[in-house]
């Protein structure tokens, strides 16, 4: 078991208690799929770490366990060419919460949290916590951001370069058009400026690759 998987196991037991080992192993196996380059157990580990850090900073959250379970499952299904990764991941998260005996209200919360990772536009504090943790890489140090880019491009290796540049640029411009990339005060203070700088740098690099005279 890798170090990130050890942390995922610890988070699982924090949420689920003892038992349910079969579900945990199935989840870990999904994050070992060979096509994954960024959306691995390491990414989930960092999302969980950021969730814990934001909670320690006093960011609002109505159900930390539900947020952690959603973090564990938010990329359980990851097929770059598929349009329904978040919906299928949410279904798996609901199955896990059901097996844990959680209430219907908590099942709905977990489902909503995972589904929110599709558009990354939070509607409440719980979603803000999870989505900021998921997008924290945007505001990482440049070397870590570059590693993230290589991972993402590797997962989309089936997309031709021109289509990749166009699609990726559209996503990045959409992020920059937002009034704020992060919803929590902590992440805005700590990562907003660097995230915008990282994105602007990537956009410039993509534009240069698109220009045959550069």
């Amino acid at each position: 078991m890798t170090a990130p998987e050890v942390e995922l196991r610890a988070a699982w037991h924090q949420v689920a208690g003892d038992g349910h080992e079969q579900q945990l192993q199935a989840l870990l196996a999904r994050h070992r799929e060979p096509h994954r380059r960024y959306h691995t157990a390491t990414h989930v580990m960092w999302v969980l770490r950021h969730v814990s850090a934001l909670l320690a900073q006093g960011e609002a959250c109505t159900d930390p366990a539900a947020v952690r379970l959603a973090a564990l499952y938010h990329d359980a299904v990851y097929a770059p060419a598929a349009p329904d990764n978040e919906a299928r991941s949410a279904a798996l998260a609901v199955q896990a919460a059901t097996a844990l005996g959680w209430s219907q209200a908590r099942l709905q919360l977990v489902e909503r949290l995972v589904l929110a990772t599709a558009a990354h536009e939070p509607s409440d504090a719980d979603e803000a916590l999870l989505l900021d943790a998921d997008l924290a890489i945007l505001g990482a140090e440049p070397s870590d951001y570059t590693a993230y880019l290589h991972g993402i491009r590797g997962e989309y290796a089936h997309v031709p370069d021109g289509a990749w540049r166009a699609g990726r640029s559209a996503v990045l411009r959409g992020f920059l058009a937002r009034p704020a990339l992060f919803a929590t005060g902590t992440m805005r203070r700590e990562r907003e400026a660097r995230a915008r700088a990282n994105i602007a740098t990537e956009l410039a690099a993509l534009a240069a690759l698109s220009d045959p005279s550069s």
Side-chain angles (χ1 to χ4, degrees):
M1 182 171 290
T2 65
E5 288 178 346
V6 170
E7 291 200 31
L8 266 61
R9 175 183 286 276
W12 174 265
H13 287 302
Q14 182 180 10
V15 170
D18 295 330
H20 305 283
E21 183 69 19
Q22 186 174 358
Q23 285 177 293
L24 172 61
Q25 291 302 324
L27 178 62
L28 294 177
R30 288 181 173 276
H31 287 96
R32 296 183 192 123
E33 292 168 340
H35 67 275
R36 296 178 186 246
R37 296 293 183 272
Y38 171 71
H39 292 90
T40 64
T42 299
H43 166 61
V44 179
M45 174 191 74
W46 279 108
V47 172
L48 289 163
R49 287 184 180 184
H50 289 303
V51 166
S52 293
L54 290 169
L55 290 170
Q57 289 290 323
E59 293 292 347
C61 181
T62 67
D63 193 336
V67 172
R68 287 191 168 98
L69 187 66
L72 283 162
Y73 275 91
H74 78 285
D75 287 323
V77 177
Y78 188 76
D84 60 348
N85 290 317
E86 293 83 8
R88 292 165 64 195
S89 295
L92 290 174
V94 169
Q95 288 179 14
T98 301
L100 297 178
W102 286 12
S103 68
Q104 185 64 32
R106 294 186 88 190
L107 299 183
Q108 292 172 351
L109 172 58
V110 168
E111 180 180 41
R112 177 166 56 80
L113 285 166
V114 177
L115 290 175
T117 63
H120 281 97
E121 295 179 355
S123 62
D124 62 20
D126 293 328
E127 290 181 12
L129 197 75
L130 176 62
L131 300 186
D132 275 13
D134 191 27
L135 292 182
I137 188 63
L138 298 181
E141 294 294 335
S143 60
D144 292 330
Y145 188 84
T146 298
Y148 148 73
L149 294 184
H150 287 312
I152 292 292
R153 185 64 181 108
E155 291 176 340
Y156 283 84
H158 61 283
V159 178
D161 287 343
W164 167 259
R165 289 193 295 268
R168 179 71 178 174
S169 295
V171 169
L172 296 175
R173 286 193 294 268
F175 276 129
L176 286 183
R178 297 183 180 191
L181 293 170
F182 297 108
T184 62
T186 299
M187 292 295 265
R188 285 198 299 268
R189 290 191 302 271
E190 295 181 356
R191 297 198 174 221
E192 181 80 20
R194 192 160 61 229
R196 290 185 175 275
N198 285 337
I199 292 171
T201 298
E202 184 186 354
L203 274 171
L206 291 168
L209 290 171
S210 300
D211 183 356
S213 66
S214 63

